[in-house]
Amino acid sequence: MKQPDQVCLEPGSLVIGDLHLDPLGGAGARGFADWCARLDVPRLIILGDLFEFWVGSKQQRVGEAEMLLAAMARLAERGTAIDVLWGNRDFLLDRHFERASGARLHPVGLLGDAAGRRTLFVHGDELCTLDRGYQRFKRVVRSVPVRWVASHLPFVLQRRIAQRLRRRSVRSTASKPSLVKAMQARAAEELVRASEAQTLICGHAHAFRDEPLDGGGRWLVVDA
């Protein structure tokens, strides 16, 4: 398994997650751009699902996506390092997004070091280990062949497929028992142990959590 990238966590670094911005427009997109214009931090870590959906580089020229990426690029130019993790909605973010936004993508998570203390950042859906159907689906849609095909489809078709998959996901999630679709503490413990970290921070669940892990360590879930 590929190891997460490592960065130095400077004092004042900020972590956010699950904004679910509509790249086609709306108050949320404009609000995020305005927020970026006022932000003054050394590092911004985005835990995935920055966008409600992202179907490939063609989307950068549609709606207000170009405005959003330009706002991020100006933030990066002012000296803020921007780290973006893949979420379950925007795992098709690619090198074109990196060039346009000034951000750096981290598909398998990020490991931050602050004075010798290590913090692992992941989106959070990888902790839903009892949902084996979802984990199989995730491996398929994130495979290199599927990503390549998806990136070469016309935007209209890309968006139609994304909307269909989203409707399917909503129906599937609603039919699953709460325990199956929940993030699992044991999976969090295994990630912390494997990365030799003291803290795990993720999003995905849209509900704040701060609890100790068996065997040591701390698990934080960032609210949406």
Side-chain angles (χ1 to χ4, degrees), residues 22-123:
D22 185 347
L24 300 182
R30 292 187 292 275
F32 178 71
D34 292 341
W35 181 75
C36 285
R38 301 189 303 270
L39 195 59
D40 181 18
V41 295
R43 183 175 297 276
L44 173 63
I45 300 174
I46 301 173
L47 297 173
D49 283 355
L50 172 62
F51 299 105
E52 177 66 15
F53 67 95
W54 193 267
V55 295
S57 59
K58 296 183 182 70
Q59 190 166 322
Q60 294 179 196
R61 302 185 293 273
V62 179
E64 297 191 42
E66 188 173 9
M67 177 270 294
L68 284 168
L69 302 191
M72 295 176 69
R74 288 191 292 271
L75 176 60
E77 288 168 0
R78 296 200 307 271
T80 295
I82 307 175
D83 300 290
V84 179
L85 280 61
W86 278 355
N88 51 294
R89 302 286 189 89
D90 51 16
F91 59 85
L92 289 175
L93 292 171
D94 58 14
R95 65 184 184 281
H96 301 288
F97 166 80
E98 287 187 315
R99 285 199 293 265
S101 67
R104 184 182 176 195
L105 285 170
H106 305 279
V108 297
L110 182 67
L111 191 59
D113 184 276
R117 291 192 60 83
R118 292 155 64 93
T119 299
L120 178 64
F121 301 91
V122 298
H123 175 58

Side-chain angles (χ1 to χ4, degrees), residues 106-164:
H106 305 279
V108 297
L110 182 67
L111 191 59
D113 184 276
R117 291 192 60 83
R118 292 155 64 93
T119 299
L120 178 64
F121 301 91
V122 298
H123 175 58
D125 59 339
E126 52 270 89
L127 302 179
C128 303
T129 51
L130 296 185
D131 193 345
R132 295 183 178 86
Y134 168 73
Q135 295 300 336
R136 286 194 298 269
F137 174 76
K138 177 180 171 181
R139 287 193 294 271
V140 171
V141 297
R142 297 194 184 195
S143 65
V144 173
V146 172
R147 286 173 53 81
W148 186 90
V149 170
S151 68
H152 287 78
L153 294 173
F155 176 72
V156 173
L157 184 55
Q158 289 176 328
R159 185 180 176 189
R160 189 176 303 160
I161 293 172
Q163 290 170 334
R164 184 174 298 175

Side-chain angles (χ1 to χ4, degrees), residues 9-30:
L9 287 182
E10 304 90 342
S13 296
L14 182 65
V15 184
I16 62 174
D18 298 277
L19 292 186
H20 292 267
L21 301 176
D22 185 347
L24 300 182
R30 292 187 292 275

